Amino acid sequence: MGEVGLIKYTRGCNLVIAACTMACVSNSGSPTGTGGQTAAGTGGQSTGTGGQSGGAGSCAPNYACTPTAPSSGDYYADCVARVNQFRACVCLPPLVRWNDGESCADQDAAYDVANGAHAGFIAGICPVEGSAQDECPGWGSATQVISQCLQQMFAEGPPPTATCTGACYQMHGHFINMTNPRYTKIACGIATVNGKVTAVQDLQ
């Protein structure tokens, strides 16, 4: 059995695994794992802003946002649009679709099926890996990834404090990654093996 649910990884100045939770959330949204492990390298741990509002004027963050998922049939376009829906919910600008990173994201997704979550990203199997990666391993379809997995990632937030590392990041890391105001582009990747979909989102 492979991992099922949502997995996140953030790359620091040096190699740092901020969190890698095995089978933490199932397709039904129920916890199925026993908790994640944290392994730190020599670099500083990644910190997040918790997706706090980066906008101005009358925009108020809506952390309970449940927008209707896009369903154009183009996974890559829908993935970018979906993440940008949630960024808009917390008053952040949209990410640009990172076309040049999509081939690498596809390779990561395929590699991870056999080697474990984030294996391709950690190993740097292609030259255009991003700064952070979220992952949805073992889902039933690309549609479920877009409508359910990414929604569950957003539902992790906001974290209780602006600086959120270690155990805090394990609980809120997907939200932190997708709403990080420092990132400007996203590459989505996907692989289907034995009827199960593994999808990654590389952020830069």
Side-chain angles (χ1 to χ4, degrees), residues 30-139:
S30 302
T32 59
T34 57
Q37 296 179 343
T38 300
T42 57
Q45 288 193 353
S46 174
T47 59
T49 62
Q52 292 181 353
S53 173
S58 61
C59 182
N62 177 8
Y63 299 112
C65 191
T66 57
T68 300
S71 57
S72 71
D74 181 338
Y75 164 76
Y76 303 94
D78 286 349
C79 174
V80 175
R82 185 64 160 163
V83 172
N84 283 334
Q85 284 181 329
F86 294 123
R87 286 176 65 89
C89 289
V90 292
C91 309
L92 290 171
L95 299 170
V96 173
R97 180 174 173 177
W98 185 16
N99 298 87
D100 290 344
E102 288 177 354
S103 176
C104 180
D106 283 341
Q107 292 178 58
D108 280 347
Y111 188 88
D112 290 357
V113 173
N115 296 282
H118 304 300
F121 188 81
I122 294 167
I125 63 172
C126 47
V128 289
E129 302 282 7
S131 298
Q133 184 182 80
D134 289 337
E135 184 159 352
C136 304
W139 284 73

Side-chain angles (χ1 to χ4, degrees), residues 10 32 49 55 101 117 125 131-132 143 151 169 176-177 179:
T10 300
T32 59
T49 62
I125 63 172
S131 298
T143 299
Q151 178 73 63
Y169 184 85
I176 290 169
N177 284 349
T179 63

